[in-house]
Amino acid sequence: MIEVYSALLELQTIDREIASAETDLKKFGPQIDEVENPLRGLQTEIENARAKLVEMRAQTAKLETAANSKRDRLKQYQTRLDRIRNAREEAAARAEMDLVKRAIDADEQEALELMEQTRRTDMKLDDMEKQLVKVRAEVEPRKQDLIESRDRATQQIEQLKDRRQNHVLRMDQQAVRLYERVRGTKGRAALAPLKAGGACGNCFNIIPLQEQTQVKAAISLHRCEACGVILFPEGEG
């Protein structure tokens, strides 16, 4: 039975190492995200600037098309005006032509303003793309170091799991089943020492004398009635 206790304690040690390694592994995701955040933020700004440029250029083209269409209308009005002999009709035609001219001026002014905004945005985009190259050069080595550390941690976990599997194959399977049942899905401690004063090393409740004797004799596996852990004689761990 002493060998069973030792094997169970070794299994518990391996499980604790796996749990600790998995906890460490989970930290790499947020760390990589933190390193990448400046790069992601800059990439988002660049994407937004590119989308804005496309939108502004499309709007500029639309305004230029609208202005050209109005110029065509203005030519038509001018042709009509040349044929008009009535003063009232001439006045009405000239009024319409003035409205069209003002509309053309408004379109041209808005197009010019958009072209200026486009120029400034284009310059800003160029600066951001240069900054992106610089930030990427700073981020990538740090990110790669973290990825390599994460890969090593993953490999360590796989090695520990292989070690656990091989260890379990050599153990008493009834003891393994009891261990897994006590440990449960949350991975709590499955074994605790029976202290010299007769208390459970996990919950510190006093164990009945008869059970203390059985645990110390190491005849069979006994669990604490209070917390359920498997008890082993203190000094065996």
Side-chain angles (χ1 to χ4, degrees), residues 17-219:
E17 289 178 11
I18 291 172
S20 176
E22 287 176 338
T23 298
D24 290 341
L25 181 62
K26 289 177 183 177
K27 296 176 183 177
F28 285 106
Q31 288 174 353
I32 292 172
D33 286 342
E34 185 178 355
V35 167
E36 286 185 324
N37 276 340
L39 191 61
R40 285 200 191 106
L42 198 51
Q43 286 171 330
T44 299
E45 286 185 49
I46 289 173
E47 288 169 6
N48 290 340
R50 285 174 179 163
K52 187 176 180 181
L53 277 173
V54 170
E55 183 181 345
M56 287 192 297
R57 283 169 178 154
Q59 184 63 21
T60 301
K62 184 177 178 182
L63 286 166
E64 289 173 347
T65 300
N68 288 332
S69 177
K70 291 181 179 73
R71 289 188 187 96
D72 290 339
R73 284 171 56 195
L74 193 60
K75 290 177 183 178
Q76 293 171 8
Y77 282 130
Q78 185 63 54
T79 301
R80 281 175 52 196
L81 187 62
D82 292 342
R83 294 197 300 265
I84 291 174
R85 296 293 179 264
N86 183 291
R88 176 184 289 182
E89 290 181 0
E90 181 181 349
R94 290 189 182 282
E96 289 178 359
M97 290 174 66
D98 286 341
L99 288 173
V100 173
K101 286 177 181 178
R102 285 198 290 270
I104 292 172
D105 290 342
D107 286 345
E108 289 177 339
Q109 182 61 34
E110 188 175 350
L112 286 171
E113 290 173 358
L114 273 171
M115 289 170 66
E116 177 60 22
Q117 289 180 35
T118 300
R119 186 187 68 81
R120 291 198 299 267
T121 303
D122 215 359
M123 291 175 61
K124 182 180 178 182
L125 178 60
D126 186 56
D127 289 341
M128 287 192 295
E129 287 175 337
K130 290 176 182 176
Q131 181 67 15
L132 180 65
V133 172
K134 181 180 177 182
V135 171
R136 184 178 281 121
E138 295 171 354
V139 165
E140 286 303 322
R142 292 158 57 198
K143 177 184 173 183
Q144 192 58 39
D145 286 345
L146 286 169
I147 289 172
E148 290 174 2
S149 296
R150 182 186 64 186
D151 291 344
R152 286 194 296 271
T154 301
Q155 186 178 11
Q156 180 190 8
I157 290 170
E158 293 304 316
Q159 290 172 349
L160 284 168
K161 287 181 177 179
D162 287 343
R163 177 181 158 198
R164 183 189 198 277
Q165 185 177 10
N166 292 332
H167 182 67
V168 166
L169 289 174
R170 298 192 301 269
M171 291 178 62
D172 177 85
Q173 294 307 299
Q174 186 175 353
V176 172
R177 287 192 291 273
L178 177 60
Y179 171 88
E180 298 290 8
R181 190 163 65 250
V182 174
R183 185 167 177 264
T185 57
K186 294 183 179 180
R188 74 182 186 112
L191 291 95
L194 175 66
K195 309 299 285 184
C200 167
N202 183 61
C203 67
F204 302 104
N205 279 336
I206 299 300
I207 306 302
L209 288 174
Q210 183 179 354
E211 290 186 24
Q212 290 183 38
T213 302
Q214 292 172 340
V215 171
K216 290 174 183 177
I219 297 172

Side-chain angles (χ1 to χ4, degrees), residues 222-234:
H222 284 268
R223 297 174 62 184
C224 172
E225 293 181 356
C227 67
V229 299
I230 302 168
L231 295 167
F232 63 89
E234 189 168 39

